[in-house]
Amino acid sequence: MKKILTIVLSAVLVAGVGFLSVYFYESDFVQAKKVETSIVDNFDISNVEVNIDFIEPLSEDSFQSRLHQMTHQKVSADEKWGSIEITPESVAIIVALLERDGGKYKEKNFYWEVLNDWKVGHFSNAVHVHNTIWNWHNGTVGEAKRLFTPEEEEKFVLNNFR
């Protein structure tokens, strides 16, 4: 009788562990797919309404810092300090900040070139943007080497924003 009880309890334990493993794996998988979708599909800021009235006017250095931190989601670099998630809302905010404050910015044409691509979800310029701003700020470590693969970006988003 004791042997049968041990076998039954072992079977229940194994089944429970198996069920929980599948449950948590599928939950992680679904979450990863949601992140992938939010990064890739339907990136459009045209219907995003933002209110930047509560944000003080930004110096050009502060604007550059925000733009630079957004690139961290897209690029591979040995060192990164700070990050701002790239979402339609965050891109709409930085566009609105440029519209409001950009008249006094020395590099406003560069920012418009960048953000015109970003507004429609084209981020292939992220390494160039990162390294340009990094150079303007005399960066010595953390130069971007390449764009992240989709899997690397997904991992970065999960580790930094979820």
Side-chain angles (χ1 to χ4, degrees):
M1 181 67 168
K2 190 175 183 182
K3 195 175 197 179
I4 293 173
L5 184 59
T6 302
I7 292 171
V8 169
L9 287 175
S10 295
V12 169
L13 181 63
V14 168
V17 168
F19 172 77
L20 289 175
S21 296
V22 168
Y23 174 78
F24 286 114
Y25 171 78
E26 286 182 1
S27 294
D28 289 345
F29 180 76
V30 168
Q31 178 66 21
K33 284 297 182 191
K34 285 181 185 174
V35 170
E36 183 179 341
T37 299
S38 71
I39 292 168
V40 176
D41 292 342
N42 301 320
F43 195 95
D44 181 12
I45 72 164
S46 62
N47 294 322
V48 176
E49 292 185 31
V50 296
N51 179 3
I52 59 168
D53 293 342
F54 64 94
I55 302 174
E56 293 290 323
L58 297 180
S59 68
E60 188 159 8
D61 280 350
S62 294
F63 184 86
Q64 288 174 2
S65 179
R66 286 178 183 227
L67 196 61
H68 180 82
Q69 288 181 9
M70 291 173 84
T71 66
H72 288 171
Q73 177 179 325
K74 299 287 182 183
V75 302
S76 175
D78 292 335
E79 298 279 339
K80 296 179 183 179
W81 294 282
S83 57
I84 297 172
E85 184 174 13
I86 293 176
T87 64
E89 293 78 15
S90 66
V91 172
I93 288 169
I94 199 141
V95 167
L97 290 169
L98 182 58
E99 288 171 347
R100 185 189 73 188
D101 301 333
K104 62 185 178 196
Y105 294 163
K106 182 177 136 194
E107 302 296 341
K108 66 183 171 198
N109 292 335
F110 173 79
Y111 311 136
W112 278 121
E113 287 178 30
V114 169
L115 292 173
N116 283 330
D117 285 341
W118 288 19
K119 289 190 301 187
V120 294
H122 297 158
F123 300 98
S124 59
N125 61 8
V127 170
H128 173 67
V129 174
H130 179 280
N131 289 343
T132 297
I133 296 171
W134 181 81
N135 281 316
W136 288 342
H137 290 257
N138 301 311
T140 56
V141 294
E143 182 175 20
K145 296 172 176 39
R146 59 178 175 79
L147 288 172
F148 271 152
T149 65
E151 295 79 18
E152 290 170 321
E153 181 177 353
E154 184 177 307
K155 183 177 178 183
F156 184 87
V157 168
L158 288 171
N159 289 337
N160 291 279
F161 307 121
R162 304 287 182 264

